[in-house]
Amino acid sequence: MRVVFFGTSAFADPSLRALVREHDVTLTVSQPDKPAGRGMRLAPTPVKTTSLELDLPIITPPRLDGDAVAQALAAKPDVLVCVAYGKILPSALLTGPRLAALNIHPSALPRYRGATPMQAALLAGDEATAISIIWMSDRMDAGDIALQTPAAIEPDDNFGTLHDRLARDSAALIINALQLLATDSLPRLAQDESQATYTKPVAKQDLELRFDRGALELSRRVRAYAPRPGAWMRFAGGRLKVLDARPDSGEVDGPPGSVHRARDGGALAATADGALRLLKVVPEGKRQMSGEEFGRSLRT
């Protein structure tokens, strides 16, 4: 099957590699290089890097205008597959492929439409999510569901572990979807609009841990943003990035936001309703360290 692949972030990488193994990827489309790192030098997207490694034709248009649409459809796709591309595709792209335009979304649609479904599930404390493959429509993540497979969220999962596992599982699911599409047996089930919820992009202020909140809510925030970009708290006149933390039954004697050495040598932060044990932190200007290492640096 001839495939045109739209993708940008690392989440799309396993799906692109799986499609290359099973099908004829005639073109990849990704977003342009962007400044990155301390030097803010232009860097390719993960999908562009993979495309160059696999010697795939690739374009990186700044806009999906008429020229970009014409280039994509000139590759004569049987199917268009879109994974974490980061922009809404115009209608001309959705109707151009011979068979279908499909999108992979890491949530149990119609729940958590939008850019940050995995972070939203972790913030809500969900114990399960899903991978959805949908027939693309001109409304964000609102297309008919083709396939949906559940996925557990483990107690120790953070954004990084959940992202990597769902990305791997998505690759197998899109291959299954194309097999069904080839035999005209891919399901098509409308989403229940009354159950739709929406996520929003992560803003800088979302990353600050505010200790007028409880320990459970703060631990969920840590999980949702670890290991990148990372939640942080104010500490000793600077920022302390917190990469792992859990509610703790230990007692802390101090105002919310204060940090103390625990009796066992670890580090506890006082919250609105109890203690938050800091398990992995990065003090400003220093290396990453465990809660025990950090606790030893604290005054009793």
Side-chain angles (χ1 to χ4, degrees):
M1 195 174 290
R2 293 171 64 87
V3 178
V4 168
F5 186 88
F6 280 68
T8 294
S9 77
F11 188 84
D13 185 82
S15 293
L16 175 57
R17 292 180 183 275
L19 289 166
V20 169
R21 287 193 295 270
E22 300 289 336
H23 296 279
D24 180 15
V25 177
T26 54
L27 180 69
T28 57
V29 184
S30 192
Q31 295 204 29
D33 297 0
K34 293 182 179 178
R38 292 185 176 180
M40 296 301 286
R41 294 183 177 179
L42 287 178
T45 69
V47 164
K48 180 179 178 181
T49 299
T50 299
S51 299
L52 295 175
E53 173 194 330
L54 299 177
D55 199 25
L56 298 172
I58 181 168
I59 60 174
T60 58
R63 295 177 299 282
L64 293 178
D65 55 15
D67 289 342
V69 171
Q71 283 184 283
L73 297 183
K76 300 186 183 305
D78 296 313
V79 60
L80 182 155
V81 175
C82 182
V83 189
Y85 177 64
K87 289 183 178 179
I88 300 292
L89 271 55
S91 297
L93 277 174
L94 308 185
T95 57
R98 184 175 67 87
L99 296 175
L102 303 175
N103 174 247
I104 299 175
H105 189 78
S107 85
L109 288 172
R111 199 173 188 202
Y112 300 143
R113 293 175 178 173
T116 56
M118 291 176 281
Q119 295 93 329
L122 290 164
L123 285 169
D126 292 350
E127 296 179 352
T129 183
I131 302 165
S132 300
I133 293 182
I134 59 174
W135 298 77
M136 295 185 72
S137 75
D138 55 4
R139 294 172 52 223
M140 181 183 68
D141 302 328
D144 296 343
I145 293 174
L147 297 176
Q148 189 171 84
T149 185
I153 299 177
E154 304 297 339
D156 290 336
D157 269 332
N158 60 21
F159 169 71
T161 59
L162 184 62
H163 170 283
D164 292 351
R165 188 166 68 251
L166 296 189
R168 290 194 299 270
D169 293 347
S170 293
L173 196 63
I174 191 63
I175 295 302
N176 185 18
L178 265 57
Q179 290 172 343
L180 295 171
L181 183 66
T183 59
D184 197 25
S185 54
L186 186 64
R188 189 160 192 160
L189 180 66
Q191 295 187 36
D192 182 351
E193 289 295 323
S194 69
Q195 299 301 310
T197 62
Y198 295 86
T199 67
K200 61 179 183 178
V202 178
K204 288 184 179 179
Q205 59 266 27
D206 295 330
L207 303 179
E208 181 176 358
L209 299 172
R210 300 183 183 279
F211 285 83
D212 56 349
R213 315 288 176 82
L216 179 60
E217 180 180 339
L218 290 168
S219 69
R220 290 174 177 174
R221 189 164 294 270
V222 169
R223 293 173 67 198
Y225 302 130
R228 59 184 185 278
W232 60 272
M233 62 180 290
R234 299 176 190 276
F235 175 75
R239 290 187 178 190
L240 178 69
K241 186 175 286 189
V242 183
L243 299 179
D244 193 7
R246 295 288 184 274
D248 193 276
S249 58
E251 294 184 0
V252 285
D253 184 16
S258 59
V259 181
H260 308 267
R261 183 190 296 178
R263 291 180 178 176
D264 61 7
L268 297 177
T271 77
D273 64 359
L276 182 71
R277 180 171 288 271
L278 306 181
L279 298 171
K280 189 182 297 180
V281 300
V282 184
E284 188 166 329
K286 298 183 179 179
R287 63 174 176 80
Q288 177 180 307
M289 59 181 68
S290 68
E292 288 75 14
E293 288 179 284
F294 180 61
R296 287 195 292 271
S297 71
L298 300 172
R299 296 178 180 176
T300 56

